Amino acid sequence: MRQTSLPTRAPGRRRVLGGMAALAALAATGTGAAGCAAPAAVGAGRTRVRFWHLFGGGDGVNMRTMLEAYRAAHPEIALEASTLQWGAPYYTKLGMAGVGGRAPEVAALHLARLPGFGPGTLLDPFDLDLLAQHGVTEEDFPADLWRRGRIDGAQYAVPLDTHPMVLYYNTDICEKAGLLAPNGRLAPIRGTEAFAAALRAAGKVTGGPGLVVETLGADTIGPWRLFSTFYSQAGGTLLDENATRVTIDDAKAMKVLRFMRRLTEEGLAHHRVDYNGTVGVFGGGETAFLLNGEWEVSTFANLELPFSMARVPNLFGRPTAQADSHCFVLPHQRDRGGETNEAAHAFVAWMLRHTVEWAKGGHVPAYLPVLEEPAYLDLHPQSEYRSVIDDVALDPPAWFAGSASTMWIELGAVLSGVLTGSRTPRGALEEMRDRLQALLDTPDPLGGDA
């Protein structure tokens, strides 16, 4: 089943746009979520810090463990953590709270959704001096992830992790297919022909396709994540750096689209399978490889499946992989400041420094010192693909991009057809271009510049 990075059913375009339009209306009237205010301190001098997040499943378990550890270490803080419904409902409620200036002290957000979330209106910037007092500075993060949290010279998001597409592999099948190196890990694969050869070799062992990847389903987004990974490896872009113009490179896109079609057309990958089906096929030992987000690591570990994980092979020239990042943000409060605000910054810093527990769910910690801790390096297979932190391919900074966004859903539907055979690569390319242009022509419901 899907973990927190991707929901079982992503919201449709009308639902996303409608929710964001509602926020815009709230912003115009100055109204917001009522009853959300909190005093700076509660009970016996304890400072109150509220944290809203959207982590369920295995991520929810890991987050609760971290929060309990924080409470035990900080008895002077009254931490109130709320888990809200994933996706559009979460962002709508968080935005409403920010519009009213009566939001929680800290919240989780997907980094790629930051440009469409009203920095300066719905979010307050971090005080970097306060973070530094608690041992967290810009130098502790990958440069690109940190930069994406900065808008108009202010830092509105501090990255918690990155959750990239990775390659799961069944070690028993790969061993029989001669695909493992002497150290027991997957031997290096580079280029489309080498990958196709590996899939054929694995298929001879199982008697079926060597790879499974999501190809269809209601509001499917797996095909988009696959295309984004390969297209970024080819060096292609969707939009310019200001997200104002479509910049698709036809030659690079067609090379990727034809390869995607080849995967299913030649029987190298399963032809028609939804998200849950991919988990069942790989978890049942029916195929050697799965391309998916890293958050299913707990699922397969609980099945006692003989598997490991690796970075997506470099097939098109660059070792990148599609990814998003969970981050911490400060929802807008009319009177942010004082002890509560300082406690919020201290909470974020503490959570970042203690992300080994978070990494158990597969996510790669964004706080770089954790990547060198023995406790993290002892996590297998979670630490096997940690170097991808420097090669993540984030969405363009557009209001309609980011995890489970309108762009993912619309392009996922188009790219699904390439994998199932209902669209030609050329037809899909033209439809992708048209849909991106339509999104660009749609005003940002929150009135932002992105």
Side-chain angles (χ1 to χ4, degrees), residues 71-320:
R71 290 188 178 100
H74 299 84
E76 76 283 6
I77 301 296
L79 175 65
E80 299 179 4
S82 299
T83 307
L84 306 182
Q85 184 179 349
W86 201 99
Y90 174 78
Y91 287 117
T92 299
K93 185 168 184 177
L94 182 61
M96 289 174 66
V99 166
R102 301 162 69 85
E105 284 67 45
V106 184
L109 195 81
H110 284 98
L111 184 59
R113 298 193 70 141
L114 180 65
F117 211 76
T121 303
L122 302 183
L123 301 176
D124 294 330
F126 279 89
D127 183 328
L128 298 186
D129 290 336
L130 271 181
L131 281 180
Q133 288 176 23
H134 295 282
V136 172
T137 66
E138 176 180 352
E139 289 71 27
D140 295 321
F141 300 87
D144 191 47
L145 287 183
W146 182 265
R147 179 186 60 79
R148 285 293 295 266
R150 197 169 188 83
I151 296 178
D152 294 333
Q155 196 70 29
Y156 285 95
V158 174
L160 168 65
D161 64 30
T162 189
H163 39 94
M165 177 166 271
V166 297
L167 183 67
Y168 296 81
Y169 60 98
N170 184 301
T171 51
D172 283 356
I173 295 174
C174 287
E175 181 178 22
K176 293 174 183 176
L179 299 175
L180 298 185
N183 62 5
R185 297 175 181 171
L186 186 67
I189 298 172
R190 185 179 179 89
T192 56
E193 293 308 314
F195 190 53
L199 299 184
R200 281 192 292 269
K204 290 180 180 178
V205 175
T206 62
L211 170 70
V212 65
V213 63
E214 180 183 3
T215 65
L216 51 77
D219 288 337
T220 182
I221 50 185
W224 149 251
R225 301 183 73 242
L226 184 67
F227 173 83
S228 178
T229 292
F230 291 157
Y231 184 56
S232 70
Q233 290 186 352
T237 60
L238 293 176
L239 306 174
D240 64 3
E241 61 181 11
N242 296 316
T244 59
R245 179 173 56 87
V246 177
T247 58
I248 294 178
D249 185 307
D250 285 12
K252 292 174 180 176
M254 283 300 296
K255 187 176 182 181
V256 170
L257 291 168
R258 289 188 179 113
F259 181 71
M260 289 173 61
R261 182 70 192 101
R262 176 187 173 189
L263 288 174
T264 52
E265 192 171 50
E266 295 185 5
L268 300 174
H270 286 262
H271 184 217
R272 299 180 63 83
V273 59
D274 64 9
Y275 184 94
N276 289 335
T278 67
V279 176
V281 168
F282 185 77
E286 299 175 37
T287 191
F289 296 104
L290 164 66
L291 281 166
N292 195 4
E294 31 64 37
W295 49 84
E296 293 292 356
V297 59
S298 298
T299 301
F300 301 131
N302 290 336
L303 292 174
E304 298 184 357
L305 186 74
F307 82 102
S308 191
M309 299 159 71
R311 295 180 55 167
V312 178
N314 178 358
L315 304 188
F316 292 93
R318 303 170 65 210
T320 53

Side-chain angles (χ1 to χ4, degrees), residues 281-370:
V281 168
F282 185 77
E286 299 175 37
T287 191
F289 296 104
L290 164 66
L291 281 166
N292 195 4
E294 31 64 37
W295 49 84
E296 293 292 356
V297 59
S298 298
T299 301
F300 301 131
N302 290 336
L303 292 174
E304 298 184 357
L305 186 74
F307 82 102
S308 191
M309 299 159 71
R311 295 180 55 167
V312 178
N314 178 358
L315 304 188
F316 292 93
R318 303 170 65 210
T320 53
Q322 186 279 335
D324 203 342
S325 169
H326 296 118
C327 60
F328 291 110
V329 294
L330 305 177
H332 175 58
Q333 295 182 334
R334 290 197 187 103
D335 56 354
R336 179 175 289 280
E339 291 183 2
T340 301
N341 186 53
E342 182 173 354
H345 283 71
F347 167 75
V348 169
W350 190 93
M351 294 290 281
L352 291 168
R353 296 197 309 270
H354 294 80
T355 43
V356 171
E357 185 69 30
W358 186 241
K360 291 178 181 179
H363 307 316
V364 182
Y367 185 66
L368 295 177
V370 171

